[in-house]
Amino acid sequence: MSPSLFSPLSLRETTIPNRIGVSPMCQYSAVDGVATDWHLVHLGSRAVGGAGLVMTEATAVAPEGRISPKDLGIWTDEQATALRRLASFVRDQGAVPGIQLAHAGRKASTRRPWEGGAPIGPADGGWEVVAPSEVPWPYEDHESPPVHALSTADISGVVDDFVAAAERALDAGFLVAEVHAAHGYLLHEFLSPVTNRRTDEYGGDFAGRTRLVREVTTAVRDVWPDDRPVFVRVSATDWLPDRDSWTVDDTVRLARDLADCGADLVDVSSGGIHPEQELPDVGPGYQVPYAERVRTAVDLPVAAVGAITTAQHADALVRNGRADVVLLGREYLRDPYFTHRAAYELGRDAAWPPQYQRASRR
């Protein structure tokens, strides 16, 4: 029988009980990078609601890797301790806890979205932003802050930061580690010729621009247990067809390399490198073709994202072999119990917590 939305998925020796996951969604609600009760309730309620995989938001591997001063972090033991409670609760509900390890690069040091998202300078509590090259994010209504181009020694430090973060995440009890190489953040900035103007071994051709992502993935895999999977999130395209930019063909080629680096799944999203990106028609499943393209070309499981809002659609993606996992973002914000509702609509059994089982009867 072909897998369905409620079939388990085993990656290495870790089994995700169903194919529905909570996509990483920034909450901008941490205190000095430390998770709060908000994070416990936010992610814990989705685990109670039946999600098979529950991913943290982009969790900064270094203080300068935060998007905002309120971002979650894992560069200190205190931060890891706070996350341990969260990971434990998610596991107690039968879900698999995952953590997305991230560095915001040139898109760091900004106010929270509901505060306008403007850049924050060091004098106002922000910090110097870093990137592959001195190419700042082009803010529409604000002057772009200067960007520090990373030296090769700095780049080695970035790899070390991801390794230390992965080790702390392991100690905190996470079963999945995801390397964030999408949405215009630091690792994506190295991948894309839009932002990478380097002429050394970390720039230039495809091999140079992908080198840091490959090094980080390999390094995280080396410290992550053999029985637990490593994911990599990528932006399949920059949505800049008239520029020298990152393309779907590049993503397929990178996915093959990531498999060789020990990645177990590619989480396929898109965009984020430049505000002038040309978005497609944003309809249901508009990013799914990118995931399907990778899955067809590379012997590696993929996760699909993007405007997937119904149980029937999510189930069809898995049944038709277009994706191995379906990650939901906004729909889980609207409905923490989407998974239980999906099981009800599809006539499938799902593991309801005993406190809620009276609602599971049709």
Side-chain angles (χ1 to χ4, degrees):
M1 295 179 62
S2 62
S4 70
L5 195 61
F6 286 93
S7 301
L9 174 65
S10 293
L11 298 170
R12 295 185 180 253
E13 296 176 36
T14 298
T15 299
I16 302 171
N18 58 55
R19 307 297 182 98
I20 318 174
V22 179
S23 193
M25 293 177 284
C26 288
Q27 299 296 294
Y28 306 103
S29 300
V31 178
D32 295 325
V34 177
T36 66
D37 287 348
W38 176 268
H39 299 90
L40 176 66
V41 174
H42 165 63
L43 294 178
S45 61
R46 275 80 192 162
V48 169
L53 173 67
V54 177
M55 299 287 295
T56 70
E57 64 193 76
T59 306
V61 300
E64 66 274 15
R66 292 171 292 169
I67 304 167
S68 83
K70 292 294 187 177
D71 277 25
L72 205 59
I74 192 165
W75 67 86
T76 72
D77 292 341
E78 179 187 8
Q79 293 161 350
T81 298
L83 288 168
R84 185 178 298 121
R85 180 184 179 209
L86 187 158
S88 176
F89 184 85
V90 169
R91 292 181 71 169
D92 286 347
Q93 311 317 307
V96 170
I99 186 168
Q100 187 183 68
L101 305 176
H103 192 301
R106 70 175 189 161
K107 295 174 77 172
S109 193
T110 66
R111 300 196 184 280
R112 295 183 289 187
W114 58 84
E115 296 170 338
I120 307 172
D124 297 317
W127 52 89
E128 181 183 54
V129 297
V130 302
S133 307
E134 294 179 355
V135 182
W137 177 261
Y139 292 93
E140 294 182 2
D141 302 321
H142 305 278
E143 182 179 355
S144 297
V147 173
H148 169 67
L150 295 169
S151 67
T152 53
D154 293 332
I155 292 171
S156 179
V158 169
V159 177
D160 291 342
D161 287 340
F162 272 91
V163 169
E167 291 174 333
R168 287 192 174 95
L170 177 62
D171 183 63
F174 288 95
L175 299 183
V176 173
E178 177 169 270
V179 174
H180 194 359
H183 301 162
Y185 299 123
L186 184 64
L187 299 188
H188 184 190
E189 291 164 18
F190 271 87
L191 293 175
S192 177
V194 173
T195 43
N196 188 340
R197 312 285 175 81
R198 302 177 72 97
T199 57
D200 64 2
E201 63 268 37
Y202 288 96
D205 61 9
F206 178 89
R209 287 184 286 108
T210 62
R211 179 173 178 173
L212 179 56
V213 175
R214 290 184 283 110
E215 288 183 348
V216 168
T217 303
T218 299
V220 170
R221 176 73 272 170
D222 285 346
V223 298
W224 204 244
D226 288 341
D227 61 344
R228 303 184 187 188
V230 170
F231 295 2
V232 182
R233 172 163 272 198
V234 298
S235 279
T237 172
D238 287 341
W239 287 335
L240 295 168
D242 297 327
R243 302 191 191 191
D244 184 16
S245 63
W246 186 258
T247 68
V248 180
D249 288 340
D250 292 327
T251 297
V252 169
R253 186 176 174 186
L254 175 63
R256 294 192 179 100
D257 291 342
L258 292 174
D260 292 337
C261 293
D264 300 290
L265 179 144
V266 179
D267 177 1
V268 186
S269 188
S270 61
I273 202 68
H274 197 281
E276 294 178 1
Q277 62 188 11
E278 299 179 21
L279 293 172
D281 291 333
V282 181
Y286 70 103
Q287 296 182 95
V288 170
Y290 304 136
E292 185 178 20
R293 171 78 184 280
V294 172
R295 191 179 190 274
T296 300
V298 185
D299 186 20
L300 199 62
V302 301
V305 302
I308 301 166
T309 61
T310 71
Q312 293 75 16
H313 186 191
D315 187 51
L317 295 178
V318 176
R319 286 184 182 276
N320 294 331
R322 303 184 70 190
D324 300 278
V325 175
V326 179
L327 296 180
L328 277 60
R330 289 174 176 83
E331 191 60 26
Y332 266 125
L333 294 182
R334 288 185 281 264
D335 181 4
Y337 305 101
F338 173 88
T339 314
H340 290 322
R341 177 164 56 82
Y344 185 90
E345 291 177 3
L346 296 172
R348 300 296 302 270
D349 292 326
W352 288 66
Q355 297 92 330
Y356 287 3
Q357 281 180 357
R358 75 192 73 173
S360 68
R361 306 184 188 97
R362 293 182 178 83

